[in-house]
Amino acid sequence: MNLILLGPPGAGKGTQAKRLETTRGLVQLSTGDMLRQAVASGSALGQQAKKVMEAGQLMPDEIIIAMIAERIAAPEARKGIVLDGFPRTEAQAEALDKMLAQGGRKLDAVIELAVDEEALIERISGRFTCAKCGTGYHDKFHPPKKPGICDVCGSTEFVRRKDDNPETLKARLVAYRAQTAPIVPYYRRKGLLKLVDGMAAPDQVTREIETILNGIAAA
């Protein structure tokens, strides 16, 4: 099964993609993770990506398409993929159709996580993670049980992503509306678009996604 999780930054695509990877054996292809790895490597692509990401802008199509094409062709992706953060433009959507067709595959569903933007900014701008074990927290909605101490490993070191601030998030949402939202009609015309409430609790979002996928499998 080949899926796309669609929605603005912070809608929960990464969380749901990881769950699908565990429950259905799909390979998560996250452009965000790929780009952050490139940034950490200090490569030329990474340096370019860092500037673009910190400005809240989108990466050029040709770079992202090349990264995704390589991953889709890998043997471990044959069982199925869940795309998180790709495609972002109609040109990328058309490129994805061609990539899959070349391998005798097709896209099964596009699941859009619909959100309230103001609530989303509040949800994202307060999040942080344990620097040691990676457990996620939020200033308002999910703080550590003991202030300054990780519930899981006891570490006192925490980190926040540089782009998790209201100014950058607003810029990313503007970019999403301008460049990504127009692909929604593209998939609606193909009959692939399914809508889920991205502001619901993660477990509820998971249940709604599973209901959609079970319906597709039974069709």
Side-chain angles (χ1 to χ4, degrees):
M1 185 171 280
N2 303 301
L3 313 171
I4 292 173
L5 292 183
L6 191 63
K13 299 186 300 295
T15 296
Q16 298 303 325
K18 289 184 184 303
R19 292 186 179 189
L20 288 166
E21 194 172 36
T22 299
T23 59
R24 291 182 175 263
L26 304 181
V27 173
Q28 179 193 11
L29 301 184
S30 167
T31 54
D33 289 346
M34 292 180 198
L35 290 171
R36 281 188 284 275
Q37 289 168 6
V39 169
S41 74
S43 65
L45 172 61
Q47 292 175 30
Q48 180 184 1
K50 182 177 181 180
K51 292 179 181 178
V52 175
M53 291 166 66
E54 289 184 350
Q57 299 172 348
L58 301 179
M59 287 293 290
D61 281 352
E62 60 270 18
I63 295 176
I64 298 296
I65 289 170
M67 290 173 54
I68 293 292
E70 182 178 357
R71 294 294 301 276
I72 285 179
E76 62 268 21
R78 293 299 303 176
K79 185 175 180 180
I81 58 173
V82 52
L83 288 155
D84 163 21
F86 181 92
R88 291 184 183 274
T89 66
E90 189 162 331
Q92 290 180 3
E94 292 171 349
L96 176 62
D97 289 342
K98 293 177 182 177
M99 289 179 212
L100 292 172
Q102 287 171 357
R105 301 156 72 181
K106 65 179 179 65
L107 194 60
D108 294 290
V110 178
I111 300 174
E112 181 185 7
L113 306 184
V115 302
D116 175 278
E117 290 190 2
E118 290 302 318
L120 184 67
I121 290 172
E122 181 181 27
R123 186 167 80 179
I124 298 174
S125 59
R127 66 186 182 182
F128 59 98
T129 59
C130 173
K132 183 176 181 181
C133 71
T135 299
Y137 297 97
H138 191 281
D139 292 326
K140 179 178 179 180
F141 304 118
H142 180 50
K145 294 177 182 177
K146 294 183 179 179
I149 301 176
C150 177
D151 298 343
V152 177
C153 71
S155 173
T156 57
E157 295 183 26
F158 298 90
V159 294
R160 296 177 188 267
R161 281 174 46 180
K162 289 183 179 179
D163 53 353
D164 278 358
N165 62 77
E167 293 74 22
T168 299
L169 288 168
K170 288 177 182 177
R172 293 170 72 193
L173 286 168
V174 168
Y176 173 78
R177 286 195 301 271
Q179 299 183 44
T180 308
I183 71 172
V184 170
Y186 177 86
Y187 287 118
R188 184 178 291 117
R189 289 193 300 270
K190 289 176 172 287
L192 294 173
L193 187 68
K194 310 294 182 183
L195 193 65
V196 167
D197 180 8
M199 300 308 294
D203 288 348
Q204 177 60 29
V205 175
T206 297
R207 285 191 290 271
E208 291 186 27
I209 290 173
E210 286 296 328
T211 297
I212 290 169
L213 300 186
N214 289 337
I216 292 171

